Amino acid sequence: MSTAGDETGHAIRLTIPAKPEYITLGRLALTGIARMRPEPLGQEVLGDLKLALTEACTNSVRHAYANGEGTVEIVYRLYDDLLVVEVADEGEGFEPPAEPRLALEDDELTEGGLGIAIIRALADEFEIRERAQGGSSLRFVKHLS
């Protein structure tokens, strides 16, 4: 994990293997970063941010690498009045559906785009894009004031 600060905020970068069991590290880092604020985040706001981060990381873990080998990079930028989180990978890319859908397949409920809908609902700003060097970048912003 590396840290860089400037006059307006702090940036922290965490790179994890693209495996579900490592997503918890991203959540723990988010908790620690939230404690860097002079005024702590409320439990509800922190819970929402953890859920949004989990969904963003899960998209990279599920969709980026066919063989499960690769990394997910999480960049947290903490400012006085907002938190910016970017989750990026170098995998195959991910095209989110226009609308979330739930479908019955083989008598099981499957999700499609529901994680993106959750992030959009919890964040104040949201964008997903393809990276020039390959892969996807999902960015969300939460206003803290």
Side-chain angles (χ1 to χ4, degrees), residues 27 30-31 34 37 39-53 78 81-83 85 119 121-124 140-145:
R27 292 171 56 95
L30 179 59
T31 300
R37 295 190 74 227
E39 190 174 311
L41 292 178
Q43 287 302 310
E44 185 175 337
V45 171
L46 183 57
D48 286 351
L49 288 168
K50 285 180 179 180
L51 178 56
L53 176 66
L78 179 63
D81 59 346
L82 58 93
L83 175 69
V85 178
I119 299 167
L122 297 174
D124 296 311
F140 65 90
V141 177
K142 183 70 174 175
H143 296 274
L144 304 174
S145 57

Side-chain angles (χ1 to χ4, degrees), residues 5-136:
D6 59 27
E7 303 80 46
T8 57
H10 298 278
I12 299 176
R13 182 178 315 271
L14 175 66
T15 303
I16 61 172
K19 298 187 182 308
E21 58 268 26
Y22 289 94
I23 294 172
T24 300
L25 292 174
R27 292 171 56 95
L28 289 170
L30 179 59
T31 300
I33 291 162
R35 290 184 181 148
M36 293 173 64
R37 295 190 74 227
E39 190 174 311
L41 292 178
Q43 287 302 310
E44 185 175 337
V45 171
L46 183 57
D48 286 351
L49 288 168
K50 285 180 179 180
L51 178 56
L53 176 66
T54 300
E55 293 296 336
C57 290
T58 298
N59 278 335
S60 285
V61 168
R62 279 189 184 164
H63 301 291
Y65 306 103
N67 61 3
E69 296 299 318
T71 59
V72 176
E73 182 178 77
I74 308 165
V75 178
Y76 310 87
R77 288 186 178 85
L78 179 63
Y79 301 91
D80 291 340
D81 59 346
L82 58 93
L83 175 69
V84 179
V85 178
E86 184 172 354
V87 177
D89 60 65
E90 296 175 351
E92 297 174 9
F94 172 69
E95 184 66 34
E99 291 294 322
R101 67 189 186 288
L102 293 174
L104 281 174
E105 291 180 10
D106 299 328
D107 296 326
E108 286 188 26
L109 198 59
T110 61
E111 65 178 270
L114 197 54
I116 298 297
I118 289 169
I119 299 167
R120 280 189 169 130
L122 297 174
D124 296 311
E125 298 175 34
F126 170 86
E127 77 174 324
I128 188 167
R129 62 180 171 80
E130 289 185 27
R131 298 172 71 199
Q133 65 271 39
S136 297

